Amino acid sequence: MHTKITDSIYSVGILNPNLRIFDIVMKTDYGTSYNSYIVKGSEKTALIDCNHKTYFKQYIENIKEICPLEEIDYIVLNHNEPDHSGTLGELLALMPQVQVVASKVGALYIKNIANRDDIQFIIAKDNDEISLGDKMLKFINAPFLHWPDSMFTWVPEEKTLFTCDFFGCHFCEPSAFDYNIVYGSYYEKALKAYYDAIFGPFGSHVKKGLEKIKELDMEFICTSHGPVLTKRGRWQEVLAKYEEWSAPIKNDKPLIPIFYCTAYGNTGLLAESIRDGILETIDADCEIYDLVDYDMEAMQWKLNTCDAFVIGSPTINKNAVPPIWNLLAGIDMINSMKKSCAVFGSYGWSGEAVPNLCQFLTTLKLNVFEESLKVTFVPSDQDLEKAKELGRAFAQSL
Ligand code: FEO
């Protein structure tokens, strides 16, 4: 099923309200959509961003509601991950006449997604244009929003900007437009979660992207996930949010969270003593977090916005425990390199959690404090003093 956006722009993507996990790691409590658009000019027609190959059959039917496949002249791919470019191979088999428009980096990705060497590319550089007759496609390079290949496509005659993932979110309601959103608070939650996961590491690039589009007289922003943003709806509000979220984060005092898990309370006792040692030494915001009791996304946000952190795990099955690894799976590797951290843990038999964590964090190029603390079973008074000393020494090193 398609939706008309303007007299010459149609949404032909797929709604997936039931999706609950995207790309293995992102929770999608409100489903998602894989948006794709057709722009019809007086002479030429373009398909902008494609789709996930799982939904190819329905996607083709949606396109055919607007025009026969042989009438499509260009496929513009603003960004290339398989949720957008995954259908390209199948589309090209049905539309051999099509020229594919992408950034230079995008063309490289596409060759490896479609596994074809015979694609006719038009490489779009910043400010390049393609005429559709009475309408123009104008390309705006937007690297790292959120991959190196990303670009936007601007259709001035329709005051419509196509941004792919930028301004998008995993949210799905039957209407394509933001002014029809029924569950507004859920949309806002989905928008923030998407920003944090996808654009959080790229704040400076977000700023540059916003700067590039600020003079455009936009009526519609057509993203690749979630509702179309409109001037009468939410686009000013979403732009303002992006301005706010991309501002550099400055903590009033050093933020040094202590993350841990504890099987019998022993690693937890060490966490408390390390915190006491830190707070004896410097004025810091130093809270302890048993990961079992907190929302993982909130913890990952803290991990990525802190100045330094301490992490502790008991040893189970010769390793740190899963919540600790889950936390570290969300680390922002663009901005976390050289961040200081220290490691500790209580154990019963062999205590591999501490060395495993130290090794992993060193591999990620974090600045792992040279001293770590391993304690067998229940920490003695001496062990707790050692933990406090670790806190003092770590704080002094910052
Ligand atoms: Fe929606 Fe970066 O793919």
Side-chain angles (χ1 to χ4, degrees), residues 88-346:
L88 184 66
E90 287 89 342
L91 286 172
L92 290 175
L94 297 175
M95 308 177 192
Q97 79 282 2
V98 150
Q99 290 184 287
V100 177
V101 184
S103 68
K104 191 174 173 186
V105 183
L108 284 177
Y109 296 165
I110 289 165
K111 280 181 190 168
N112 289 315
I113 289 172
N115 278 330
R116 294 175 58 141
D117 286 325
D118 59 341
I119 296 173
Q120 301 177 60
F121 280 111
I122 297 175
I123 301 299
K125 298 190 293 301
D126 205 24
N127 294 320
D128 277 1
E129 293 178 345
I130 289 177
S131 172
L132 303 181
D134 60 349
K135 287 166 195 70
M136 298 295 288
L137 304 178
K138 183 171 175 176
F139 305 104
I140 302 169
N141 281 176
F144 297 99
L145 296 178
H146 64 118
W147 273 25
D149 65 327
S150 302
M151 66 179 194
F152 305 149
T153 300
W154 170 236
V155 181
E157 296 79 5
E158 297 289 0
K159 300 186 175 186
T160 299
L161 182 69
F162 298 88
T163 57
C164 202
D165 287 337
F166 202 52
F167 302 128
C169 66
H170 293 307
F171 185 77
C172 187
E173 285 191 358
S175 163
F177 298 101
D178 59 359
Y179 49 78
N180 284 331
I181 288 173
V182 175
Y183 294 101
S185 64
Y186 294 166
Y187 168 74
E188 284 154 23
K189 210 169 151 193
L191 185 76
K192 178 71 164 81
Y194 193 84
Y195 180 91
D196 290 347
I198 303 294
F199 297 106
F202 301 106
S204 61
H205 295 282
V206 170
K207 286 240 166 277
K208 283 181 200 158
L210 293 173
E211 189 64 27
K212 278 189 163 187
I213 62 173
K214 74 175 184 190
E215 301 298 340
L216 301 180
D217 181 17
M218 295 180 281
E219 287 282 344
F220 301 98
I221 297 177
C222 293
T223 70
S224 59
H225 304 289
V228 172
L229 302 176
T230 64
K231 194 170 187 174
R232 64 178 271 210
R234 290 178 178 253
W235 78 240
Q236 287 99 331
E237 178 191 322
V238 172
L239 258 69
K241 289 282 181 203
Y242 266 51
E243 287 282 4
E244 178 192 329
W245 295 334
S246 60
I249 292 170
K250 230 178 150 24
N251 299 316
D252 293 337
K253 47 187 177 180
L255 178 61
I256 311 172
I258 299 177
F259 304 107
Y260 72 99
C261 286
T262 191
Y264 297 103
N266 298 324
T267 302
L269 289 172
L270 296 175
E272 288 172 12
S273 291
I274 292 169
R275 176 196 57 197
D276 293 347
I278 291 171
L279 292 176
E280 269 181 20
T281 312
I282 55 172
D283 183 19
D285 179 350
C286 182
E287 297 283 335
I288 59 174
Y289 299 98
D290 183 340
L291 294 182
V292 171
D293 295 332
Y294 290 88
D295 174 71
M296 188 55 78
E297 284 176 10
M299 290 293 96
Q300 288 172 339
W301 174 254
K302 204 158 271 291
L303 174 70
N304 291 327
T305 54
C306 69
D307 299 289
F309 67 93
V310 185
I311 191 161
S313 176
T315 296
I316 296 180
N317 202 21
K318 291 183 179 288
N319 207 346
V321 294
I324 296 288
W325 292 119
N326 287 346
L327 174 75
L328 294 175
I331 200 165
D332 162 6
M333 278 320 306
I334 308 282
N335 300 299
S336 295
M337 270 195 266
K338 306 242 185 315
K339 187 174 277 192
S340 293
C341 59
V343 181
F344 67 100
S346 161

Side-chain angles (χ1 to χ4, degrees), residues 6-25:
T6 72
D7 284 344
S8 61
I9 296 177
Y10 301 85
S11 176
V12 291
I14 295 289
L15 299 181
N16 188 347
N18 295 324
L19 191 79
R20 289 296 172 265
I21 297 283
F22 182 90
D23 270 8
I24 307 168
V25 293

Side-chain angles (χ1 to χ4, degrees), residues 29-58:
D29 293 344
Y30 315 111
T32 196
S33 61
Y34 302 94
N35 302 340
S36 174
Y37 303 91
I38 288 176
V39 182
K40 294 190 82 165
S42 56
E43 294 170 19
K44 304 272 188 182
T45 297
L47 180 63
I48 301 201
D49 294 324
C50 294
N51 226 274
H52 193 297
K53 69 178 178 185
T54 304
Y55 313 105
F56 184 67
K57 204 170 156 202
Q58 181 61 51

